[in-house]
Amino acid sequence: MSDKNTKVNQDYVGKEVEFRVLRYDPDKDIAPYIQSFKLKLEHGMTVLDALMRIKETQDPSLSYRKSCRMGICGSCAMMVNGFPKLTCQTQVSEYDLDKTIDVRPLANYPILRDLVPDLRNFMRMHEGIKPYIIRRDNEELDKFIGEFAQSPEELERYLQFTYCIKCGACLAACPTNATDENFTGPQALAAAYRYVADSRDEGLEERLVALDEPNGIWRCHYAGACSEACPKGVDPSLGIQLLKREIFNHRLLGKKKRPAPFAETPEGVERREDIPQAPEKTVRE
Ligand code: SF4
């Protein structure tokens, strides 16, 4: 198996491939244009490696974002042959090397320069859904009253949505964002579900300002492209549908949020008897 992989992997080493890269300098270009670069491939070369090699050896003015180079920071997401990818995790050898490889900035965002998208609106949408636990009792913030234990099942309700690295790829794939720049977008909506589904949170009402409005959640037509594009295995379209159900229950059926793990009694604030216990600790003290 490893012999076969080694042989296959080395077939492309030294092969010259043409990269067609979008260039745009707003200070001097009227519009974006495509520039070709030819590059001999090296073993294990990712699309980001190729861009770095082009910048080092052919055109130092080529601009793109990168940081961790290990699929965690999310900054190197770009369109590769028309599909949003984390370029640090995308091997050039995945593509048909007899054809050109097209690299552009993420779709559905304004371009700041070359391959650098403007993510400010994306971040504003994320901020708008209040991406943090909201509690109604402000006294809790000052007075520690105990743990907010969750069962493994409660954790499972939102866990996958915490894996989002805010790379923006889902929004680049979204057909609604392609025609409506004010649509809240799959990342922010899935992040909203992450908090609404958290048994510690009581903030759905506050989040409705951003969610239940003309450019909000109901503009999602469930194309599912966001989930296909996500490089971290998050399923934003699932989160959006579950969030629609939460809002529906809240607005039309008047269902109360799941109980908080503490309850007020005549004797004061007490731990509820029926809350599940926290998962066992996985880190030894
Ligand atoms: S949901 Fe996935 S594709 Fe969207 S921003 Fe988060 S990690 Fe990126």
Side-chain angles (χ1 to χ4, degrees):
M1 178 100 174
S2 60
D3 285 345
K4 191 178 168 205
N5 279 344
T6 305
K7 184 172 183 314
V8 170
N9 284 341
Q10 287 181 343
D11 280 348
Y12 63 83
V13 174
K15 184 174 174 68
E16 188 171 77
V17 173
E18 182 181 351
F19 290 84
R20 288 172 53 79
V21 180
L22 185 138
R23 304 299 308 269
Y24 178 55
D25 179 346
D27 291 334
K28 60 178 190 189
D29 299 325
I30 295 170
Y33 63 97
I34 300 295
Q35 185 174 4
S36 280
F37 298 97
K38 289 191 174 155
L39 191 70
K40 286 198 172 153
L41 299 189
E42 296 162 24
H43 183 71
M45 193 173 232
T46 63
V47 174
L48 180 60
D49 291 333
L51 294 172
M52 290 165 64
R53 186 67 81 231
I54 290 168
K55 187 176 175 77
E56 284 163 10
T57 60
Q58 300 186 42
D59 188 343
S61 72
L62 180 63
S63 299
Y64 48 81
R65 279 200 192 100
K66 70 169 172 69
S67 183
C68 74
R69 297 179 64 192
M70 55 205 291
I72 292 174
C73 74
S75 57
C76 70
M78 299 172 208
M79 306 300 287
V80 184
N81 281 1
F83 198 80
K85 304 285 276 185
L86 274 190
T87 54
C88 72
Q89 294 205 303
T90 305
Q91 292 284 314
V92 178
S93 58
E94 288 175 24
Y95 295 93
D96 182 348
L97 301 180
D98 292 324
K99 296 183 178 163
T100 57
I101 296 179
D102 190 88
V103 188
R104 301 183 186 215
L106 283 179
N108 302 338
Y109 297 87
I111 304 172
L112 287 177
R113 185 180 172 122
D114 294 343
L115 300 167
V116 182
D118 185 344
L119 298 177
R120 282 175 290 187
N121 199 38
F122 172 75
M123 291 300 176
R124 261 196 297 275
M125 294 299 181
H126 180 69
E127 191 185 350
I129 58 90
K130 301 182 189 289
Y132 40 82
I133 300 278
I134 296 174
R135 300 285 301 172
R136 296 219 180 88
D137 184 356
N138 284 334
E139 278 187 28
E140 286 175 1
L141 299 175
D142 302 322
K143 199 170 70 179
F144 176 72
I145 53 174
E147 277 187 316
F148 287 75
Q150 286 184 316
S151 69
E153 291 73 27
E154 285 175 315
L155 176 67
E156 201 54 49
R157 283 170 58 89
Y158 66 86
L159 182 62
Q160 68 142 305
F161 301 101
T162 68
Y163 296 148
C164 171
I165 56 173
K166 298 165 201 65
C167 67
C170 51
L171 194 144
C174 173
T176 305
N177 274 113
T179 55
D180 179 2
E181 63 179 8
N182 295 316
F183 173 46
T184 312
Q187 187 282 331
L189 292 172
Y193 179 70
R194 176 259 174 270
Y195 289 97
V196 168
D198 191 315
S199 58
R200 299 164 297 183
D201 184 81
E202 299 172 305
L204 177 58
E205 189 67 42
E206 285 92 326
R207 293 192 184 93
L208 289 178
V209 177
L211 300 174
D212 195 9
E213 57 93 35
N215 295 104
I217 192 165
W218 310 109
R219 291 280 283 120
C220 169
H221 301 156
Y222 200 18
C226 52
S227 302
E228 208 179 320
C230 179
K232 303 306 287 185
V234 180
D235 189 347
S237 58
L238 171 66
I240 294 169
Q241 306 321 307
L242 292 172
L243 184 56
K244 284 177 180 172
R245 186 174 67 181
E246 294 279 348
I247 294 172
F248 181 81
N249 285 344
H250 179 80
R251 281 273 202 242
L252 299 180
L253 305 180
K255 273 200 184 167
K256 288 215 162 71
K257 182 96 175 82
R258 288 173 302 286
F262 291 88
E264 276 188 33
T265 69
E267 288 76 43
V269 177
E270 282 190 356
R271 191 184 182 93
R272 291 175 52 97
E273 293 295 323
D274 56 345
I275 60 164
Q277 294 307 300
E280 282 187 17
K281 285 199 168 84
T282 51
V283 178
R284 285 175 201 276
E285 290 171 353

